[in-house]
Amino acid sequence: MRAPDDVRNLPIDITFSRLGEWLVDRKRIPSDWRKRLAAIRGLVAKQFPGLPKDVDPYFQALDPEGIGYLEAKQIYDILLKSTPESRNIFGRLAGAAGSWETIVRSFEKDHIFLGEAAQIMIQNVNYEIPYQKKQVQKIQQQLAELERREVDIKRNAALSAAKYIEACQELGLQGSNVRFELLETAKSLPSTFSRILEVINSDSMSRAIEYYSNFVKDAHTEKDICPKGVVPNLIDIRENPPSLNVSAVSDITDSVNTQSGFNETIGGVDAAADNIDWDISVDNAAIDWDIGTVEETDDGGNGFGTYEIVTANEVNEAVEPNQNQPSNAGQDTSVSEISWDFSVETPQVDVIDDVSLPNVVGAVNSPTVAQAAETEEGRSQLLDTEYRNKILDELYEIKAFLHQRLAELRNQETLSLQHQVQSVAPFVLQQFAADAIEPMVSDVSSAISLLTNRKTRDLIMILNSKRFLDRLVSTLEEKKHHEAKLKEGLKDVAAKHMELQNSLSSSWPKQEAALRKTRELKKLCETTLSSMFDGRPVNIIGEINTLLNTGIGA
């Protein structure tokens, strides 16, 4: 049998989820406590608008729906300290302090605040705090995802910028004005063409052509038949080197000039047009339409006066006397007799200094067209695709021949046969051994490489095709715009990051406030119930303790 003191020290453990039922079963709170609690909250909502919010900053942050026993008691204490003398003749507090005293007493009557505390603890532990934690975790995951996305965008933007710089460097561009710089870079083609001509005019190329010509003449030409010439285009380019002058076709030049001059002319068109004195005056009294007037001439014949209406018969009669003369002379005579009497007066137009206007003086454009025509006529033949293909065909022809000869001369199985063939071949063919053919192959391959490498082909296409130039410019600018687009995306990511940070900043205080209020209510319940049971320790157990111990870091 335990002593009374031992029984008094035994703790009372109450599961938080059944605290309300436990209090009702043991008659610690009335069974209709929810109804009475609703009435008290209605009283709180009624008295809240009259609360003097300028008394304390705490009142500014209150929400009438979130005011419970603890908040009502704190409001009462603040009002009591601020107006200690506001009492009526019966000793009760007057004004707002008296109203909130009534609310606190209503909570304390029959321990209604214990039922409210049990209800709030269950709601916070089961719903509010887990929801706030999930929100925080969700925001943290979104922030981590945004950080990864930001890193990816920065990496892709840097990669796009590097690709753009690399593409510009490959073409020798700075990247400020791509179209103009491409056309300027294409002007380096003369040096490439010069190297091609140097290789084609080299001694080893001469020996290769000579070797190939002699071989064809000896092996494939019958007696008493004049041999046909081989590689005529290579021989022609050696004897008649093409011009090294390069220029863009007219439509490319026109588009570049239009683009570069548009911004310069558009600003001055209005100002220049205002300075033009068209010298146009309309005076109805001074207009002599002279309709139907036939002027008489002095010769009295069928001469044609000014504005005279002439029939076909009269024209024939005027021409017949001169039929014995040559036809051209008759035509000249008849025409000379026509007096058109047109008076063309050039109106006085003020001189315009701005010659950049395209439509003011028509003669301004004439030298440009003539110059463009001369430039296009003087373009290098190497810019012509058909001409280059002919040269390449013959270079490949010689290269294939030289490779075949090398293979035959180095084949050990037919080496003795080759010696026999060489012994009966002409002397011009005997002097070309394998070691002598290798330099020829090298120079022919070098010429082919110079003509077919991508940079040379691109530069030629830039000058020959406006469509290719537009596509190349579009490709380069697309890489540049892709970088700008990614940087614009970074702004959106930064805005979203800021929004999530603000949401996280607002979620932390909510979670902390819910935890703090739950701790206070738990402590209040344990203290009040302990006093009800003669000081026996009361412990509210269950998931609430795990949740409160983990705190915000969970």
Side-chain angles (χ1 to χ4, degrees), residues 148-164 478-487 490:
R148 288 193 296 270
R149 184 181 173 188
E150 184 177 2
V151 171
D152 292 340
I153 290 176
K154 288 181 178 179
R155 183 177 64 252
N156 291 334
L159 185 61
S160 296
K163 287 182 178 179
Y164 177 71
E478 184 179 353
K479 294 179 180 179
K480 186 177 182 179
H481 293 161
H482 184 60
E483 178 192 1
K485 185 177 180 181
L486 289 173
K487 289 183 178 179
L490 276 178

Side-chain angles (χ1 to χ4, degrees), residues 111-158:
H111 301 98
I112 300 298
F113 69 90
L114 289 177
E116 181 204 39
Q119 186 182 53
I120 293 175
M121 284 191 295
I122 292 173
Q123 181 178 355
N124 285 350
V125 172
N126 291 339
Y127 303 105
E128 185 66 23
I129 296 176
Y131 171 76
Q132 293 295 339
K133 287 189 174 184
K134 288 181 179 179
Q135 284 296 105
V136 170
Q137 292 175 356
K138 182 179 178 180
I139 294 173
Q140 288 175 340
Q141 290 176 356
Q142 290 177 345
L143 284 172
E145 182 65 27
L146 276 181
E147 290 175 357
R148 288 193 296 270
R149 184 181 173 188
E150 184 177 2
V151 171
D152 292 340
I153 290 176
K154 288 181 178 179
R155 183 177 64 252
N156 291 334

Side-chain angles (χ1 to χ4, degrees), residues 19-89:
L19 178 59
E21 298 176 4
W22 189 91
L23 291 172
V24 173
D25 291 342
R26 284 156 181 78
K27 308 296 182 181
R28 300 303 174 181
I29 59 175
S31 58
D32 61 344
W33 65 271
R34 290 183 177 85
K35 183 177 179 181
R36 294 169 64 176
L37 179 62
I40 295 172
R41 287 177 175 171
L43 184 60
V44 169
K46 181 179 179 181
Q47 296 298 329
F48 183 78
L51 187 66
K53 296 182 175 57
D54 57 343
V55 173
D56 192 274
Y58 175 71
F59 296 164
Q60 303 289 339
L62 287 175
D63 181 12
E65 296 182 358
I67 295 177
Y69 172 70
L70 294 177
E71 291 79 12
K73 190 173 183 181
Q74 188 173 357
I75 292 172
Y76 169 68
D77 292 339
I78 293 173
L79 292 175
L80 185 62
K81 292 178 183 179
S82 61
T83 57
E85 303 299 332
S86 60
R87 295 181 180 272
N88 57 21
I89 59 176

